[in-house]
Amino acid sequence: FYALLTGVLLIMAIYHIVIYFSSKMIHYLPYSLYIFGLIGLVLAHSGFGGQYVLPQFIFFNNDGIIVSVGLMVSALSYFIYKFVALDKLGSSFKKSVYITIGLGLFNMIIPFFTPFYYGIRLLIATITPSLGILLVWGIYAYKKKLPNARYLAYAFSTLMVGAILKLLEGVGLLPSYWIFKNGLWVGVVLQLILFALGLSNLIKTLK
């Protein structure tokens, strides 16, 4: 399953990198980087990366999670910032995107200087305000009916549903069916598809 998921994510990332270079639309670059972060998270979390991709690289199994999440936070922050046109709404949003990107970069760097025990705790401490900022952005965009706000809402809704299904399966409230066991990753793929649809809609609007 993880090999298939990694393959799908890799194809999506490369495809949108190609679109970025051909269209010069900045939105596609952070979107692609977000997917690369997801690939790193899948490989590190599953152990698939350390077992098959880089078997001699122990760092990949543990600290790879922190680095991958840091990349995801930074890339997703800038993607949403551009995706719903927050960059056109004043300096307050610009300051908040600097904060979220900065916290993401901090988590990408810190594993090289601290043990995993401390790094994972710093990740948890710093990811909370970042996700809070992204949540505020999403609510604001939806209330103000900003461009692509509905795609953003749908994307995070599917992710939340997937995460909840996985949580309920994990605590024994749902049977261990494939869809429940892998609910989080299914939600991630659906989220990426909805973002891609939003980008496609954005291109049509610009035309």
Side-chain angles (χ1 to χ4, degrees), residues 123-151:
L123 173 66
I124 294 170
T126 55
I127 199 175
T128 303
S130 297
L131 294 178
I133 290 172
L134 297 184
L135 177 62
V136 170
W137 286 358
I139 295 173
Y140 179 87
Y142 193 80
K143 290 182 66 176
K144 297 295 182 180
K145 298 181 179 180
L146 297 181
N148 287 316
R150 62 192 179 99
Y151 285 104

Side-chain angles (χ1 to χ4, degrees), residues 95-200:
K95 292 177 182 177
S96 61
V97 78
Y98 286 157
I99 292 172
T100 53
I101 291 176
L103 290 174
L105 293 175
F106 171 80
N107 284 303
M108 292 177 66
I109 296 171
I110 201 66
F112 295 95
F113 301 98
T114 61
F116 177 77
Y117 176 86
Y118 296 107
I120 195 67
R121 282 158 177 77
L122 287 170
L123 173 66
I124 294 170
T126 55
I127 199 175
T128 303
S130 297
L131 294 178
I133 290 172
L134 297 184
L135 177 62
V136 170
W137 286 358
I139 295 173
Y140 179 87
Y142 193 80
K143 290 182 66 176
K144 297 295 182 180
K145 298 181 179 180
L146 297 181
N148 287 316
R150 62 192 179 99
Y151 285 104
L152 181 63
Y154 297 155
F156 277 104
S157 295
T158 57
L159 183 62
M160 286 299 298
V161 170
I164 291 171
L165 290 176
K166 172 58 181 174
L167 176 63
L168 293 177
E169 185 273 334
V171 298
L173 295 178
L174 286 175
S176 296
Y177 295 153
W178 183 91
I179 188 66
F180 300 144
K181 291 177 64 176
N182 299 290
L184 177 60
W185 300 118
V186 172
V188 164
V189 172
L190 292 176
Q191 178 201 48
L192 293 175
I193 292 173
L194 286 163
F195 280 152
L197 291 174
L199 287 170
S200 176

Side-chain angles (χ1 to χ4, degrees), residues 3-177:
L4 176 62
L5 177 60
T6 302
V8 170
L9 293 176
L10 185 60
I11 291 171
M12 293 179 71
I14 294 173
Y15 174 73
H16 288 95
I17 281 285
V18 171
I19 294 179
Y20 164 70
F21 283 112
S22 62
S23 68
K24 304 301 181 185
M25 283 186 63
I26 190 62
H27 307 68
Y28 284 99
L29 181 59
Y31 177 72
S32 300
L33 291 176
Y34 175 60
I35 299 177
F36 279 120
L38 276 169
I39 292 172
L41 180 61
V42 171
L43 293 177
H45 177 263
S46 65
F48 185 82
Q51 186 175 2
Y52 298 107
V53 180
L54 295 170
Q56 306 301 323
F57 197 34
I58 300 176
F59 176 90
F60 191 85
N61 281 343
N62 297 323
D63 297 284
I65 295 175
I66 302 174
V67 174
S68 298
V69 172
L71 175 58
M72 289 169 58
V73 169
S74 293
L76 183 62
S77 299
Y78 192 68
F79 170 72
I80 293 175
Y81 179 69
K82 301 292 289 186
F83 186 62
V84 294
L86 293 174
D87 55 324
K88 300 177 181 178
L89 299 180
S91 60
S92 60
F93 289 103
K94 182 178 290 188
K95 292 177 182 177
S96 61
V97 78
Y98 286 157
I99 292 172
T100 53
I101 291 176
L103 290 174
L105 293 175
F106 171 80
N107 284 303
M108 292 177 66
I109 296 171
I110 201 66
F112 295 95
F113 301 98
T114 61
F116 177 77
Y117 176 86
Y118 296 107
I120 195 67
R121 282 158 177 77
L122 287 170
L123 173 66
I124 294 170
T126 55
I127 199 175
T128 303
S130 297
L131 294 178
I133 290 172
L134 297 184
L135 177 62
V136 170
W137 286 358
I139 295 173
Y140 179 87
Y142 193 80
K143 290 182 66 176
K144 297 295 182 180
K145 298 181 179 180
L146 297 181
N148 287 316
R150 62 192 179 99
Y151 285 104
L152 181 63
Y154 297 155
F156 277 104
S157 295
T158 57
L159 183 62
M160 286 299 298
V161 170
I164 291 171
L165 290 176
K166 172 58 181 174
L167 176 63
L168 293 177
E169 185 273 334
V171 298
L173 295 178
L174 286 175
S176 296
Y177 295 153

